[in-house]
RNA sequence: GGGGCCGUAGUCUAGCUUGGUAGGAUGCCAGCCUGGGGCGCUGGUGGUCCCGGGUUCAAAUCCCGGCGGCCCCACCA
């Protein structure tokens, strides 16, 4: 039998739970016949658009402007930065033919757009007066991934990429702080997704970057997910693309660049995974496509009109107050069916209105996050909803933070590291800093990866490496990842 | 790239071993009945059994090839 609801528990079988929520809550349709390419349904797109809007607002507040660059990048651009090509080449899709004609030079579908942006930056940047240049685009990118998972690893996925150019390295480094703050404001404050902002080890940098910083969150199965990244590109691309300016001192200089990429797909995946429960999605008000749903309940035809009349009044009042409200007056479904369905879809607030409510001048208000009902007087409904807007987000943040913190443990010995990784934890530990040690750890623990150090971390003497016992120079976080 | 599993109405699936009229549930449509936690009844609708070839009187079923999907390993800024 094809169940309409979620049939597994999130804590027991996260992978299956996640697949079921995506399909059953009407977020995606995975029947499209190309692996790794996902059909995004309206419920998902509305959530994604809300998340995009938050990031775009923050970016524009800090001086970024929107642009749209071409999807295709000629091979000659792509080849200019050696390390960049080597890193991305294995997963680039190429356009090689148009109609029956073979193209003289093949075109890459952007896997990321440095080589499109910076080609133009060499034209646009001439003077110190042109700096800083801060542009972003909200687009999909293309990578031929082998193991795909909807919203987590795709061959086509949605993100924002902000490409900034500065006169000095110092300004570029400040930009990385600003990017981190941007992530904090949106990912944590608005969406309630906790994360660590880490500086990646040298062997795990973006291809072509001097340094990579990234936000890692922890999924319910304990694996970490990189949800945004910021790269200090130094002057490497500036040199490859000849992006120079005449400074105040009359000297021609290369610009310093950064690139910030909040992974909208993955942030959405984290939102679904972290806040969801065994009944389905749980959405904060600020991204919910429908914030308040009204379900009318009547037994007799004679009660129908007075119940519906009250529902319509409430609907108008709530809409007037600025909320996205939907009166579910469909007659082909029972109230019980609707309760389950809207919970599956994660609508934060449900109002139940029947004869009882009509006669007492009240509304039964159901909170999706706590799954509790309470009676509220009609006259206090709007202020109650306003309060819930904040309360629900705070509750989601509280739970998410509690989970996140419970998943990070410290270790100083090899056995502790092994045990922690086995039980799905992220490990904070002293580390020697050697790539060979990280490789050995990864192999021995079936995938435990050194994710990096905290951004303000200073190297020093931290005793012995928890893995190999050599003198430790760093404190790092280690976890299995997606 | 290596290994494994699997393709039957929108969905989940029976049938395949042992070749012989494709069956059920759910969904969808119509009508009734209902409604405070996924109601019930009646009727109807919906199939290139992934594609191509082979064997056979006869193929969803057996054989070969292809395509597609899923899982594990490797890879993964």
């Amino acid at each position: 039998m094809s169940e309409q609801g979620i049939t597994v528990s999130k804590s027991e079988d996260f992978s299956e739970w996640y697949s079921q929520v995506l399909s059953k809550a009407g977020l995606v349709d995975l029947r499209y016949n190309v692996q790794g390419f996902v059909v995004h349904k309206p419920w998902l797109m509305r959530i994604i658009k809300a998340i995009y809007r938050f990031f775009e607002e923050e970016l524009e507040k800090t001086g970024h402007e929107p642009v749209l660059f071409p999807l295709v990048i000629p091979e000659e651009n792509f080849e200019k930065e050696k390390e960049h090509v080597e890193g991305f080449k294995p997963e680039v899709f190429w356009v090689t033919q148009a109609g029956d004609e073979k193209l003289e030079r093949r075109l890459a579908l952007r896997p990321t757009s440095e080589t499109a942006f910076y080609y133009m930056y060499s034209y646009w940047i001439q003077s110190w007066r042109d700096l800083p240049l801060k542009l972003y685009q909200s687009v999909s990118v293309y990578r031929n991934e082998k193991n795909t998972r909807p919203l987590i690893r795709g061959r086509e996925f949605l993100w924002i990429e902000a490409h900034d150019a500065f006169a000095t390295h110092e300004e570029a480094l400040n930009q990385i702080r600003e990017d981190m703050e941007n992530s904090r404001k949106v990912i944590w404050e608005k969406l309630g997704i906790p994360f660590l902002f880490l500086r990646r080890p040298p062997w795990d940098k973006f291809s072509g970057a001097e340094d990579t910083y990234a936000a890692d969150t922890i999924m319910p199965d304990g694996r970490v997910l990189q949800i945004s990244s910021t790269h200090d590109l130094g002057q490497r691309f500036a040199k490859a693309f000849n992006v120079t300016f005449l400074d105040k001192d009359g000297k021609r200089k290369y610009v310093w660049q950064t690139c910030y990429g909040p992974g909208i797909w993955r942030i959405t995946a984290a939102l679904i995974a972290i806040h969801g429960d065994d009944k389905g999605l749980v959405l904060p008000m600020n991204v919910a496509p429908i914030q308040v749903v009204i379900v009318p309940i009547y037994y007799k035809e004679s009660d129908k009109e007075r119940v519906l009349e009250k529902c319509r009044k409430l609907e108008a009042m709530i809409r007037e107050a600025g909320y996205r409200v939907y009166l579910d007056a469909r007659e082909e479904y029972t109230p019980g069916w609707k309760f389950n369905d809207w919970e599956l879809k994660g609508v934060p607030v449900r109002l139940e209105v029947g004869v009882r409510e009509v006669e007492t001048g009240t509304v039964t208000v159901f909170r999706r996050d706590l799954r509790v009902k309470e009676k509220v007087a009609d006259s206090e409904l709007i202020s109650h909803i306003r309060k819930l807007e904040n309360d629900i987000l705070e509750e989601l943040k509280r739970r998410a933070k509690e989970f996140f913190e419970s998943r990070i443990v410290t270790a100083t010995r090899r056995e502790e590291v092994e045990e922690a990784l086995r039980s799905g934890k992220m490990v904070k530990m002293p580390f020697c800093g050697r790539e060979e040690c990280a490789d050995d750890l990864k192999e021995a623990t079936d995938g435990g990866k050194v994710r990096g150090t905290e951004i303000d971390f200073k190297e020093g003497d931290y005793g012995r490496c928890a893995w190999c016992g050599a003198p430790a120079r760093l404190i790092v976080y280690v976890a299995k990842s997606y």
Side-chain angles (χ1 to χ4, degrees), chain A residues 168-197:
Chain A
T168 65
H169 194 208
E170 189 190 353
E171 287 173 89
L173 292 175
N174 283 338
Q175 184 58 44
I176 287 164
R177 302 272 166 180
E178 186 183 291
D179 296 340
M180 176 173 72
E181 183 60 10
N182 175 301
S183 287
R184 194 187 62 77
K185 280 184 175 163
V186 179
I187 299 173
W188 168 242
E189 287 185 5
K190 292 204 158 69
L191 305 177
I193 300 166
F195 65 86
L196 277 173
F197 198 80

Side-chain angles (χ1 to χ4, degrees), chain A residues 38 45 55 111 153 157 176 227 272 292 304 307 321 327 333 335 360 425 474:
Chain A
V38 171
M45 276 319 289
F55 276 106
R153 166 167 264 106
F157 64 90
I176 287 164
I227 49 181
I272 294 164
V292 180
K304 177 176 169 181
V307 168
L327 169 55
Y333 295 109
T360 55
K425 298 286 204 309
L474 307 166

Side-chain angles (χ1 to χ4, degrees), chain A residues 159-344:
Chain A
W159 77 350
I160 291 175
E161 46 183 326
H163 296 276
D164 298 356
F166 304 93
T168 65
H169 194 208
E170 189 190 353
E171 287 173 89
L173 292 175
N174 283 338
Q175 184 58 44
I176 287 164
R177 302 272 166 180
E178 186 183 291
D179 296 340
M180 176 173 72
E181 183 60 10
N182 175 301
S183 287
R184 194 187 62 77
K185 280 184 175 163
V186 179
I187 299 173
W188 168 242
E189 287 185 5
K190 292 204 158 69
L191 305 177
I193 300 166
F195 65 86
L196 277 173
F197 198 80
L198 299 174
R199 179 183 186 176
R200 292 279 187 252
W203 56 86
D204 195 23
K205 289 181 312 188
F206 173 76
S207 304
E210 297 286 355
D211 247 321
T212 287
Y213 300 80
D216 279 343
T217 191
I218 304 178
M219 296 292 263
D221 60 358
R223 292 164 76 185
V224 298
L225 183 69
Q226 175 176 314
I227 49 181
S228 87
S229 60
T230 269
H231 311 292
D232 174 5
L233 300 178
Q235 293 180 311
R236 289 197 197 193
F237 282 93
K239 285 174 181 168
F241 285 85
N242 200 30
V243 185
T244 62
F245 67 102
L246 266 184
D247 206 348
K248 291 175 198 172
D249 58 12
K251 288 183 180 148
R252 182 160 294 278
K253 297 175 183 172
Y254 287 107
V255 297
W256 296 84
Q257 294 178 286
T258 63
C259 163
Y260 172 50
I264 303 299
W265 243 39
R266 286 181 160 192
I267 290 163
T268 308
L271 179 86
I272 294 164
I274 290 170
H275 298 321
D277 65 18
D278 290 350
K279 295 289 272 180
L281 267 186
V282 179
L283 297 172
M285 296 270 263
N286 57 14
V287 297
I290 293 173
Q291 297 166 306
V292 180
V293 66
I294 306 173
V295 178
I297 301 158
Y298 43 86
Y299 293 98
K300 293 175 295 199
E301 195 64 16
S302 57
D303 293 329
K304 177 176 169 181
E305 201 38 52
R306 56 181 185 145
V307 168
L308 283 179
E309 191 193 339
K310 171 160 184 169
C311 288
R312 284 190 286 261
K313 275 186 189 157
L314 292 174
E315 182 193 18
M317 185 171 85
I318 295 164
R319 180 165 294 132
E320 182 70 19
Y323 292 97
R324 297 184 286 274
V325 58
Y326 174 66
L327 169 55
D328 187 359
R330 292 176 295 175
E331 301 207 339
E332 63 271 34
Y333 295 109
T334 61
W337 193 93
K338 292 174 185 174
F339 294 169
N340 283 286
D341 194 47
W342 292 116
E343 282 171 40
L344 179 58

Side-chain angles (χ1 to χ4, degrees), chain A residues 51-97:
Chain A
I51 295 174
Y52 261 124
R53 202 168 319 119
F54 289 149
F55 276 106
E56 289 167 357
E57 280 168 9
E58 288 302 325
L59 284 168
E60 296 192 18
K61 269 186 216 164
T62 53
H64 292 82
E65 289 197 286
V67 289
L68 179 61
F69 270 68
L71 166 62
V72 292
I73 301 174
E75 188 163 19
E76 69 207 55
N77 292 29
F78 196 67
E79 296 281 352
K80 279 187 176 154
E81 212 292 326
K82 189 166 157 285
E83 201 179 298
H84 187 68
V85 194
E86 281 170 13
F88 278 103
K89 211 152 195 188
E91 51 190 49
V92 171
F93 289 106
W94 293 99
V95 179
T96 58
Q97 196 167 322

